[in-house]
Amino acid sequence: MDLEAVRTFLAVLDSGRFGQAADELSITQQAVSKRVAALEKELGVRLLTRTARGAEATIDGQAFLPHARALLHAEARAIASVRPGSRALRVDVIGRRLAPAALLRAFHGSHPEIELDVVTLFDADAAVAALRAGTIDASFRAVTMPGRHLPEGIGALPVLDEPIELLTGPAHALASARSVTPARLAGHRIWVPGIVSGTEWAAYYADLAAAFGLTIEVTGPDFGTEPLLDTVADSPELATFVGAGTRLVWPDSLDLRRIPVHDPTPVYPHSLLWSVDNPHPALLALRDHLAASSGTAGAPGASGADIWTPAWARPRTRHPAL
């Protein structure tokens, strides 16, 4: 069986898009389609179907999925057994503008000799699957969602409580505020497009809204960061939330305002995840660095008792043995 075809099938499922899988694999979208088609021909079944939400696994694809991950897991372990440390440390940072990317940049600044391969996976389920398959070495995620537990063999280290800020345009009622309380946001329209049900960030915002009586709107398509900034800048009613460590750049003409939220400060709880049997020698260096510099490694963090985070978030005091 062609393992590159298997890898391509998993990349499409993990990203949800043929085009995004092509970017991640550094091949054309046509090559992605051909690999998947060849795999389907070899197996004699359809593995994927295209929907309005993107590519999804068929019933046969779902049946094949755990075996596909096992094949790549075996491949990764076989390579690691004879070439430990021969490839870059592969780390998922969720998004390249977000706080985990700043944490990883700080690590790179302290350890420039360690080669890094930075990737962005969709959600915690995709990240955990990739960790178990050995296709990535570590992932920054909020864990765990209500009713969910990390599977056996996955370690977790809390690394950053990232404050949430309010982003408004110049005409918004709160635009001139130096800071706001969560209670003061009740009744204001907060727009966060791109929230997908079942993800860790959907669980976070649902709990945040319930805790403080907020109205968080998720309607409309997610066209990306720049259209979001344009919409908020032009609206006297809409605002959005951004992480304090999120890197945003906009034209002066938008005149956007980033307003701290305090009393209490809502924080997003980032943890580092890894597979406990991962043999990559640089993984321990990353964990040691984050444990030593937790909350200060390149992204704003919050400390003290006056913070809010979901009850399901892994406590910062529960550091696993390194």
Side-chain angles (χ1 to χ4, degrees), residues 189 191-194 216-222:
R189 296 175 60 196
W191 186 44
V192 187
I216 298 180
E217 302 179 14
V218 300
T219 56
D222 179 14

Side-chain angles (χ1 to χ4, degrees), residues 11-322:
V12 173
L13 269 188
D14 288 341
S15 66
R17 305 283 176 183
F18 278 70
Q20 188 171 337
D23 291 340
E24 293 176 359
L25 297 171
S26 299
I27 59 177
T28 65
Q29 188 168 337
Q30 183 180 22
V32 170
S33 297
K34 285 185 176 180
R35 287 183 182 181
V36 172
L39 182 61
E40 289 176 331
K41 183 177 180 181
E42 181 179 2
L43 296 174
V45 295
R46 286 199 63 184
L47 299 173
L48 296 172
T49 183
R50 296 177 187 263
T51 70
R53 294 184 57 184
E56 296 183 357
T58 63
I59 292 177
D60 288 318
Q62 293 173 18
F64 180 66
L65 179 59
H67 303 290
R69 296 201 189 283
L71 284 170
L72 293 194
H73 181 82
E75 179 199 37
R77 292 292 179 258
I79 293 173
S81 69
V82 295
R83 292 192 299 166
S86 62
R87 64 163 177 81
L89 184 71
R90 191 170 298 127
V91 184
D92 161 44
V93 296
I94 308 177
R96 298 179 190 276
R97 296 184 179 183
L98 305 183
L103 295 178
L104 196 59
R105 285 194 299 271
F107 170 71
H108 179 63
S110 298
H111 299 273
E113 75 285 358
I114 294 178
E115 186 180 0
L116 294 175
D117 184 4
V118 183
V119 302
T120 56
L121 299 180
F122 178 65
D123 64 1
D125 288 340
V128 168
L131 289 171
R132 300 183 76 178
T135 55
I136 64 171
D137 301 299
S139 175
F140 290 92
R141 293 287 161 179
V143 292
T144 59
M145 291 180 283
R148 303 280 290 277
H149 301 279
L150 285 175
E152 184 178 354
I154 299 297
L157 173 71
V159 294
L160 177 67
D161 286 336
E162 181 188 9
I164 299 299
E165 297 179 337
L166 187 72
L167 185 71
T168 77
H172 194 276
L174 299 174
S176 61
R178 295 175 65 97
S179 66
V180 295
T181 65
R184 192 177 177 187
L185 299 179
H188 290 278
R189 296 175 60 196
I190 301 171
W191 186 44
V192 187
I195 291 180
V196 178
S197 178
T199 59
E200 64 268 31
W201 62 89
Y204 176 85
Y205 281 117
D207 279 15
L208 178 63
F212 299 104
L214 306 184
T215 301
I216 298 180
E217 302 179 14
V218 300
T219 56
D222 179 14
F223 289 112
T225 301
E226 283 71 24
L228 171 64
L229 299 181
D230 290 340
T231 300
V232 169
D234 291 340
S235 175
E237 298 180 350
L238 289 179
T240 192
F241 284 129
V242 296
T246 299
R247 299 185 59 168
L248 294 176
V249 179
W250 57 78
D252 291 341
S253 59
L254 294 188
D255 196 19
L256 291 165
R257 319 292 172 85
R258 295 182 72 144
I259 304 169
V261 183
H262 294 314
D263 301 322
T265 299
V267 299
Y268 193 86
H270 298 282
S271 290
L272 183 78
L273 307 185
W274 69 92
S275 176
V276 297
D277 64 350
N278 186 310
H280 201 295
L283 182 56
L284 180 59
L286 174 61
R287 288 158 48 195
D288 284 345
H289 170 87
L290 293 172
S293 57
S294 180
T296 63
S303 60
D306 193 26
I307 66 172
W308 175 91
T309 200
W312 47 263
R314 183 170 291 261
R316 289 290 297 276
T317 55
R318 286 179 57 190
H319 288 190
L322 296 180

